[in-house]
Amino acid sequence: MPGTIDFQLLEKIDSIELSRRNKRWREAMKASGWKVSTDRERWTVKSWKETEGEDLQLRRAKLLKCVLDNIEINIHPFDEIVGRPTPWVIGCQTAIDCCGDYIPGIWDDSGSFAATLDATVSISSEGLNVLRESAKLFGEQSLPAMTYKAWEELVGGWAKDVEAAKLKDPSLDSVITGQSTSVLSWKKILRVGLRGYIDECKRHIDEYIAAKGTDIDKIYFWQSAVIVLQAVIDHAHRYAALAEDMAAKEADAEQKAHLLKIAEVCRYVPENPARNLREALQSMQFCNLAKMLENPIQNNCHWGRADQYLYDYFVNDLKNGVPLEEIASMLADLIGRWGTQTFIASSTQKESHQINFGINNVMIGGLDKNREDCSNELSYLFLHLIALLQLSSPTVGLRWNRKTPDWIMRKAIRTNLATRGGIPLFENDEVLIASFMRDGIPFEEAVEWVGLGCVYPCLPTRAEHYGAEGVAAINLAGILHLTLHNGIDINGKQSGLKTGDPRNFKSFDELYEAFLTQYKYLCHRVFWLGGVARDMGHKYLRLPLLSILGIEASMELGQDLLKPHPDYSMFGISDRAIIDVADSMTALKKLVFESKALSMAEMMEALDSNFAGERGEEIRQLCLRQPKYGNDLPEADELVKKVSADSAAIINSYDNSPFRKFIISREGLAWHYYGGLGVGALPNGRKALEPLNDGSLSPMRGVDKNGPTAVLRSACHACFDAVSYVAVLNQKFSSSIIASEESIEKLIAYTNAYMNSNGSHIQYNILDTEQLKDAKKHPDSYKDLIVRIGGFSAYFVQLSPEIQDDVIYRSEFNL
């Protein structure tokens, strides 16, 4: 598309403001708070009792149909696009049928339970009884419960000990399955409609029977797909009927016409192919809504490359006279809708995510199959609306490449200046595509990569298992803790091997080898147990809607995604806290083994006492003064590079046959808070249980003293791009950077320079430290303040005090 951009249209977009409906939604959203509904759980219990004895695939299909046929629905006066998981502006359903008894607090009579780390939600006694009945019915036979039983048969209590010590995550009650956190097949959904899917399923059934196929599970799969696809169509028709009823009673002519238009659209999509942008967006909402209602704990609403597959609808609407303002209003509606979806998280998710808003991701720009940048006017409109909405979600990723035009970079930086909280982030398209190709993915497939959750890259053509089966991240700092304590974890359990008392190590190499031994043992054991969980999943759970709409291969295979196929499955791991480990190793090397300023006994006494007393603080300051990554110091940076490469070698040495090997992608989230809870005091000077370093390539907070470009040079020296698809680098700049156009150009040049040096990812908090301190003291005055945490953004006042301090005390730079 180079050379075809309508710059007059870009100017018109720059003048767009939120519509009256959008503003009314924002007001309602801010005033509403959010609620939890037990409506879905009531219908899952009813369906499960009615289908006892039937095949699991069909039972799960009928369960979703029962929910979609009966759940309470509503249309709000400001809705452009309709469909919500609850009747309220903000609300969520629970997922006990998928997760088991995962909600702490439902067995006491307080009338509330924890929704986030520091927020509770009220529930009626009637609602509480519904949740309890569901937990009794599903709890002991749920996928997590049965998998933990299998793990216990193999390794006793080790798996739960490792989770409790934060040595790996997530816990199984997050019920991440293949593709559950990724993008749906939007191109096909919009092109053929759900009726097209149904017809294709019926053809497969007829052909398989005619060919005398013997695998009845294939027939059950296609039948289950027909059930859920028709249920989604029927759910849309329920909204059409509601809109017609409301229109009949509506006195206002404009609103009456609007309701009748909603009814017309809902009668047509998602059953049929979308003919315009409104129908496309409405079809997407119904499909994503049904996906959320199938497994509400995985309520991610990922757009993928929306500026590409929606572009023709956008252009045709403009040609057909649809006002730009109307297009912007309905697009803003869906951006806002997906950006404010909530969920009841599992315990580990509360710690690793902090927030209860489902993370969703939209990708902007990037290369196409002709190796040309395909940023367009719709890319620009997405950025503009996200700047106007100023929400903490979606995560917006600009796919940077050497052909990325200046006009989209300027819009991206201005969007960042408007949100202040790292929206959009910048990911290196060329590094990502090369990483996929390095692992055997052809360019034509790799170029279509999209973001999952925060920054994790995945392919729409393959079921992504990152986080599934309890495998997402390994805590290298926790493994260092094991090494320094002869395999004993933070909770006093023998989770690691007995590699020896570090006081007896004669050399740094002996210490480092003990660390690698501990790492390989834990990492490969986690992968093994993940494989056990993978083989068990289909016995206790099926997700027919996700399967049929998730990847196109499911249709041909006739197979639920809970039965992963080697040719269409991807597996990922995030090896976290590399910087913490490397800085700690540098301090041990210099202080204990080279200068001998401290004995290992003195170091261990200081660490085990959490640097207590005058001598402890003296040792801590000595540790803090040692060379640190982020200051362009080769000694420190080289050890980061070594730990990174050795970690990758251990991961790559695991045989994941018959599936592909685990790919490495160094994520963000608020994992550094979660991971820190499993680590005692470290030789880098960090105190026990404090958050680790944010992101995966960010320096220890406050120690990067040599300016922002020194951080970039250290990051490039670490060479994470050689082994990891992406590595999250956060930087904080003073708000003075928004003072002039010159500052914007500097930040663009700064970003380009890092990406040109093979940096894979960078994102910016543009905030003043004093403002953040004031927000912590006076949260009511800063309810809309957005900050970048790891790989995602959140409202500052909703974060734990530890993460607030983490953001506050990161180094603040100027350009």
Side-chain angles (χ1 to χ4, degrees), residues 61-192:
K62 291 178 181 180
L63 181 149
L64 179 58
K65 172 178 168 53
C66 188
V67 170
L68 292 172
D69 285 352
N70 294 285
I71 201 168
E72 185 179 356
I73 64 174
N74 192 15
I75 296 174
H76 295 271
F78 40 74
D79 284 347
E80 289 275 12
I81 306 298
V82 299
R84 284 183 170 82
T86 70
W88 311 305
V89 177
I90 297 181
C92 65
Q93 303 284 354
T94 54
I96 292 173
D97 58 299
C98 296
C99 304
D101 189 2
Y102 80 111
I103 307 174
I106 68 169
W107 297 107
D108 62 47
D109 296 318
S110 65
S112 64
F113 54 80
T116 64
L117 287 177
D118 59 357
T120 59
V121 61
S122 298
I123 187 168
S124 68
S125 58
E126 179 188 1
L128 200 58
N129 287 334
V130 170
L131 297 183
R132 288 173 176 175
E133 183 182 7
S134 184
K136 290 175 184 176
L137 181 64
F138 293 104
E140 290 302 314
Q141 297 299 314
S142 66
L143 173 58
M146 297 306 293
T147 304
Y148 278 125
K149 286 180 183 178
W151 284 358
E152 190 170 0
E153 289 292 327
L154 299 172
V155 296
W158 183 84
K160 287 193 173 181
D161 288 344
V162 164
E163 287 181 356
K166 318 300 185 189
L167 292 168
K168 73 93 177 172
D169 68 277
S171 55
L172 292 175
D173 55 7
S174 61
V175 191
I176 299 171
T177 67
Q179 203 66 8
S180 65
T181 59
S182 191
V183 68
L184 298 182
S185 299
W186 293 126
K187 288 183 181 179
K188 181 176 179 181
I189 291 169
L190 299 180
R191 185 181 76 249
V192 308

Side-chain angles (χ1 to χ4, degrees), residues 15 189 230 242 279 283 287 293 308 446 538 706 750 755 774:
S15 67
I189 291 169
Q230 185 61 53
L242 177 59
E279 290 180 353
S283 183
C287 292
L293 289 171
Q308 304 306 307
H538 70 279
N706 293 343
Y750 180 85
M755 294 301 195
D774 192 55

Side-chain angles (χ1 to χ4, degrees), residues 158 161-162 164-167 475-503 505 514 518-519 521-522 604 607-608 677-682 689:
W158 183 84
D161 288 344
V162 164
K166 318 300 185 189
L167 292 168
N475 186 347
L476 272 69
I479 292 170
L480 178 57
H481 181 95
L482 292 179
T483 307
L484 295 174
H485 295 87
N486 202 15
I488 302 296
D489 67 31
I490 191 74
N491 296 322
K493 299 291 183 69
Q494 188 75 47
S495 294
L497 297 173
K498 293 183 178 180
T499 49
D501 186 335
R503 296 167 184 83
F505 291 160
Q518 292 281 4
Y519 183 20
Y521 168 75
L522 186 137
M604 291 306 303
L607 296 179
D608 289 343
L677 297 175
V679 184
L682 287 175
L689 307 185

Side-chain angles (χ1 to χ4, degrees), residues 500-527:
D501 186 335
R503 296 167 184 83
N504 299 326
F505 291 160
K506 303 302 181 184
S507 67
F508 175 76
D509 288 344
E510 190 177 350
L511 168 68
Y512 191 76
E513 282 305 312
F515 167 76
L516 294 182
T517 299
Q518 292 281 4
Y519 183 20
K520 184 173 183 178
Y521 168 75
L522 186 137
C523 178
H524 285 203
R525 222 173 194 217
V526 167
F527 287 168

